[in-house]
């Protein structure tokens, strides 16, 4: 039985199809050796597209959050993987990601969720939404010159496209090593 006062680290995301995880895994296997070694690659099963990071939420608020998420009305979104990029956009790279083709339904879903979270007084990221799938984290950060060549080579890379029919509330459990992402609830998107 969870103790009152405990909090949960939560985020909302689109899950990927197996075919997309496999394509991203293949990209990783084809990465230059230097990058393979320098990066902490996200394991295949943890790959996802974050819609909103909610941070720590008191466990008592979980049912209210779930109830509010059930009221979100958004439509199925296209998820088409394309090209690679890095964060931050200037200076040394900390995050390597796969891009996602622009999609109105994806942006609408993000926006509807932002409204729902605001109704619950949950703080939202002030940064503009850049849909992406984090592939690897670079600690220490890597000189851009070390990955510029590979990113340029992959500019025309296109991964599988799927129609996403639900969004997922995840708990992120941090510990030693790779975080555990546990799906707590899934919410259908309208066809
Ligand atoms: O999918 P990405 O990698 O963009 O980086 C974390 C990941 O996003 C992000 O939440 C997603 C699931 O863990 N995240 C973790 N801590 C964060 C924080 N303090 C954060 N986003 C914003 N602020």
């Amino acid at each position: 039985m969870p103790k009152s006062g405990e909090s949960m680290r939560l985020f909302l995301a689109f899950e990927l199809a197996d075919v997309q995880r496999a394509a991203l895994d293949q990209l990783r296997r084809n990465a230059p050796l230097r990058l393979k070694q320098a990066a902490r690659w996200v394991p295949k099963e943890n790959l996802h597209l974050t819609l909103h990071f909610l941070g720590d939420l008191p466990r008592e608020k979980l049912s209210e959050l779930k109830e509010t998420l059930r009221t979100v009305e958004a439509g199925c979104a296209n998820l088409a993987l394309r090209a690679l990029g890095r964060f931050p956009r200037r200076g040394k790279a900390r995050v390597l990601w796969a891009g996602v083709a622009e999609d109105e339904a994806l942006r609408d879903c993000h926006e509807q969720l932002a409204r729902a979270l605001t109704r619950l007084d949950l703080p939202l990221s002030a940064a503009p939404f850049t849909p992406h799938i984090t592939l690897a984290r670079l600690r220490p950060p890597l000189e851009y010159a070390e990955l510029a060549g590979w990113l340029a080579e992959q500019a025309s890379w296109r991964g599988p496209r799927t129609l996403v029919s639900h969004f997922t509330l995840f708990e992120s459990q941090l510990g030693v090593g790779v975080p555990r992402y546990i799906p707590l609830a899934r919410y259908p998107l309208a066809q």
Side-chain angles (χ1 to χ4, degrees):
M1 184 75 181
K3 282 181 247 138
S4 117
E6 275 182 8
S7 64
M8 310 170 81
R9 184 181 170 85
L10 303 174
F11 67 98
L12 295 165
F14 283 162
E15 295 175 70
L16 301 189
D18 287 347
V19 51
Q20 292 172 319
R21 293 177 200 276
L24 294 171
D25 199 46
Q26 187 61 45
L27 263 186
R28 175 178 63 83
R29 277 188 261 133
N30 292 337
L33 188 61
R34 170 82 182 98
L35 197 53
K36 269 193 199 160
Q37 291 170 340
R40 276 198 289 141
W41 294 83
V42 176
K44 209 159 92 169
E45 63 278 11
N46 272 6
L47 293 167
H48 63 272
L49 185 155
T50 301
L51 294 162
H52 290 279
F53 175 73
L54 309 184
D56 290 329
L57 187 84
R59 204 172 270 272
E60 305 85 83
K61 299 231 163 169
L62 183 62
S63 52
E64 189 189 3
L65 171 65
K66 285 182 168 177
E67 209 172 292
T68 302
L69 292 175
R70 270 195 292 274
T71 68
V72 169
E73 287 181 15
C76 287
N78 285 299
L79 188 53
L81 309 180
R82 59 182 307 280
L84 299 180
R86 96 284 191 185
F87 290 141
R89 293 193 187 278
R90 286 164 189 273
K92 291 186 179 183
R94 292 176 182 279
V95 171
L96 175 69
W97 47 260
V100 168
E102 266 305 323
D103 184 63
E104 213 176 302
L106 166 61
R107 293 227 166 247
D108 180 62
C109 182
H110 177 265
E111 182 58 36
Q112 303 275 349
L113 287 170
R115 282 192 214 135
L117 298 172
T118 305
R119 285 201 296 277
L120 292 174
D121 281 334
L122 292 176
L124 298 179
S125 164
F129 179 47
T130 309
H132 66 274
I133 291 144
T134 295
L135 299 180
R137 296 190 167 80
L138 301 155
R139 305 274 189 278
L142 202 63
E143 290 292 347
Y144 176 54
E146 299 223 43
L147 65 160
W150 193 54
L151 295 195
E153 274 170 32
Q154 302 303 324
S156 56
W157 178 80
R158 298 290 177 269
R161 166 194 290 267
T162 56
L163 193 63
V164 182
S165 58
H166 65 269
F167 66 88
T168 305
L169 173 65
F170 279 100
E171 178 178 8
S172 165
Q173 290 185 349
L174 304 179
V176 182
V178 177
R180 280 184 71 207
Y181 296 152
I182 300 158
L184 299 180
R186 294 189 170 95
Y187 301 87
L189 297 167
Q191 298 284 331

